[in-house]
Amino acid sequence: MASKDRILRLKEETRVNILEAALQIVKEEGWQALSMRKIADVIEYTAPIIYEYFASKEAILLELNRQGYLKLSKQLQEAKDKHTSPADQLEEMWLSYWNFAFANKELYQGMFGITTSCACKMVNELPEAGLPWDIITGSIGELMNIEDMDSDIICTKYYTFWSVVHGLVSINLLDRGDSDKINRQVLRDAITGIIRSITP
Amino acid sequence: MASKDRILRLKEETRVNILEAALQIVKEEGWQALSMRKIADVIEYTAPIIYEYFASKEAILLELNRQGYLKLSKQLQEAKDKHTSPADQLEEMWLSYWNFAFANKELYQGMFGITTSCACKMVNELPEAGLPWDIITGSIGELMNIEDMDSDIICTKYYTFWSVVHGLVSINLLDRGDSDKINRQVLRDAITGIIRSITP
DNA sequence: ACATTTGCTTAACACTGTTAAATAATCTAA
DNA sequence: TTAGATTATTTAACAGTGTTAAGCAAATGT
């Protein structure tokens, strides 16, 4: 029965369509404007069929976040692969993180926003949310000559990196902050500063 | 007509009650659970009378944010007044900022959250939102011997401070991050590091 | 005592997420 | 081909949201 395959392919397709429609709406009108009926409008169905593909609206948000983490991880890995020295890798990766945030503002908000309306709470239980950590701490450990990737010192250094970059991103996403050029300079200074501070 | 005064006092009182009820609900159930009817329940009225005091739900959120900025500014000023040297002032103020964020999680989320559902957009036009900037850049300017408080260099240094502190706060508010003790250490290190970097 | 203003509520509208029932379309088997 | 069973999709409904307009009731001014 090849028709079964076709039908499965179609179902998978509308599943993708739902996610794409959701992201499109969010990009055009923001998270607060996303509604099931609007998604249904875009994919030319009525709202209840969405529940054949996702258990709830929150499940859609969660899946979008998941894909966001995958996309970010892919970019981080590509950035890492450009260099061999851990110091260069770290600089390239955090610049890549910065670029991801602004190229995917809405996604970034969902992934790392202090959600206010707390769109999807279980994002912390998403396994993909741990991927960036894995990719980056590898270079930190190598740079510091530490093997145990879960050691407190690596953890601390990771959070030091993350907080400064995420903080800078947040401020810019909040429409605060200076011109992009100045902020890039602050970012570069901070990153190289931290790298130097942990270079043996 | 003293009764006019009494009646005005009562009106002011329910205005305060509305705000307190809103904050109470947010603290107990989160921003996403805040609704006009719930507020009305708490103050023992029906929903429409709230519109005699606030033009919209967003206006309530805006006023809560305004009070948040005032409260934060007051704490920052008190922290500043504890010392005379700008370096000590800066350290004390940013620690105070950190403490404010965790003592008023919900308020902080509203004020500095990448709102996702973008609760109130005009928070940037709130004059009170600029108070922390005024208080802190004063010390930065003094420390760097610069008079023009709007100079790019002060601006940049302010954002450097803010991004690292806000980033660290965000990560902890996201349930990520280490123990409070370690994070306080990261915070202190970062703050003193920046202070040292701008001390002539 | 009547008229007017004020305070407050009820009712309604257009939305929201979500579920159950009803219908339309498709596939299966005789 | 036709009858029956499945599946796909929609309509209707529920409870909730922010918000507005209409109505009522109590206090006030004359």
Side-chain angles (χ1 to χ4, degrees), chain B residues 7 11 37 44-46 48-49 52-53:
Chain B
I7 225 163
K11 288 207 84 176
R37 285 169 176 88
E44 294 178 304
Y45 279 107
T46 49
I49 72 112
E52 309 242 327
Y53 300 87

Side-chain angles (χ1 to χ4, degrees), chain A residues 7 11 37 45-46 48-49 52:
Chain A
I7 225 165
K11 287 206 86 174
R37 284 169 177 88
Y45 277 107
T46 49
I49 72 113
E52 309 246 326

Side-chain angles (χ1 to χ4, degrees), chain B residues 55-126:
Chain B
S56 65
K57 184 183 180 181
E58 186 172 328
I60 297 178
L61 303 183
L62 198 66
E63 177 60 19
L64 285 178
N65 282 338
R66 210 182 63 85
Q67 296 190 356
Y69 284 112
L70 284 176
K71 191 172 181 180
L72 172 60
S73 302
K74 192 164 150 264
Q75 282 188 211
L76 289 177
Q77 188 62 55
E78 286 170 3
K80 190 176 184 177
D81 291 342
K82 282 190 193 167
H83 302 91
T84 50
S85 95
D88 291 344
Q89 286 175 339
L90 282 171
E91 180 169 359
E92 188 85 35
M93 282 192 285
W94 285 115
L95 287 175
S96 168
Y97 182 101
W98 168 277
N99 289 330
F100 173 88
F102 291 99
N104 308 85
K105 289 186 193 189
E106 301 79 16
L107 233 40
Y108 190 89
Q109 284 175 210
M111 292 156 67
F112 299 115
I114 310 175
T115 51
T116 285
S117 67
C118 197
C120 50
K121 200 170 171 273
M122 58 277 258
V123 70
N124 279 338
E125 277 128 58
L126 221 48

